[in-house]
Amino acid sequence: EVQLVESGGGLVKPGGSLRLSCAASAFTFSSYNMIWVRQAPGKGLEWVSFINFRSDTIKYADSVRGRFTISRDNAMNSLYLQMSGLRAEDTGVYYCTRDKDLNIRASDIWGLGTTVTVSS
Amino acid sequence: EIVLTQSPGTLSLSPGERATLSCRASQSVSGYLVWFQQKPGQAPRLLMYDASNRATGIPDRFSGSGFGTDFTLTISSLEPEDAAVYYCQQRSAWPLTFGGGTKVEIK
């Protein structure tokens, strides 16, 4: 079964750091573009970051640029999100998603999410 | 940044009724509009991509239309399991943006 499983969430103090991981299985990870999306408690969806299959195109939301770093290891079938300078407004569920196809811009597979709480 | 405005905020309908959800973009996104369904405590689920293409496994009571700035998701005959929040997302330009969502309630 095609699957994405996030890990690494937790409670962190403002200004702290956290590294999220996303393990992919049952598909050729190296052939897909990947995206992180987050959702604050009781709020809507917010796009965070994008990385293409070769890691040569990377994009960030303004709200996280300079603080978050997306990366991937195709040999390990894994996606990462290094988060630093965390703020209360970064609290939420972080989802790892896969684009349906290199030519179809749509997140067709989502993980269950990992929860990040930024609080003192 | 392209702003997506979804309306109505909440839709309350009975089973069997037709639901029409709107997503309006602040500038053209061509056909690069995606719809997701999210139920409480679950991850979002892809419904439609490129405005009008149903994702794998999505029932044909769901349909999408539109181009440019005005898009519609239609549920032709509501089922109880369609109760959820529906989000649109544009994939035309960076940054990617989502609409605020439409909550569909089943009476």
Side-chain angles (χ1 to χ4, degrees), chain A:
Chain A
E1 179 192 357
V2 172
Q3 202 172 8
L4 296 169
V5 179
E6 303 93 339
S7 61
L11 174 64
V12 61
K13 289 182 169 52
S17 299
L18 216 50
R19 188 196 197 205
L20 305 184
S21 299
C22 171
S25 58
F27 67 96
T28 306
F29 180 72
S30 59
S31 298
Y32 290 85
N33 300 333
M34 302 295 293
I35 288 175
W36 286 100
V37 173
R38 68 185 181 184
Q39 187 168 34
K43 302 297 184 184
L45 302 172
E46 180 187 13
W47 169 72
V48 174
S49 185
F50 166 95
I51 185 168
N52 78 334
F53 66 108
R54 292 183 301 208
S55 301
D56 59 4
T57 297
I58 288 175
K59 302 289 185 181
Y60 297 100
D62 286 348
S63 57
V64 306
R65 186 176 294 112
R67 301 186 299 120
F68 290 12
T69 302
I70 192 172
S71 63
R72 64 191 295 163
D73 184 336
N74 287 342
M76 296 293 291
N77 294 325
S78 293
L79 175 72
Y80 306 101
L81 187 68
Q82 178 68 48
M83 306 186 296
S84 61
L86 283 162
R87 306 166 179 166
E89 54 265 35
D90 296 318
T91 293
V93 177
Y94 284 71
Y95 295 104
C96 163
T97 83
R98 180 193 87 166
D99 261 354
K100 181 173 174 60
D101 187 275
L102 288 182
N103 297 313
I104 297 176
R105 309 174 194 179
S107 294
D108 69 332
I109 302 296
W110 293 63
L112 295 180
T114 187
T115 299
V116 173
T117 304
V118 183
S119 175
S120 54

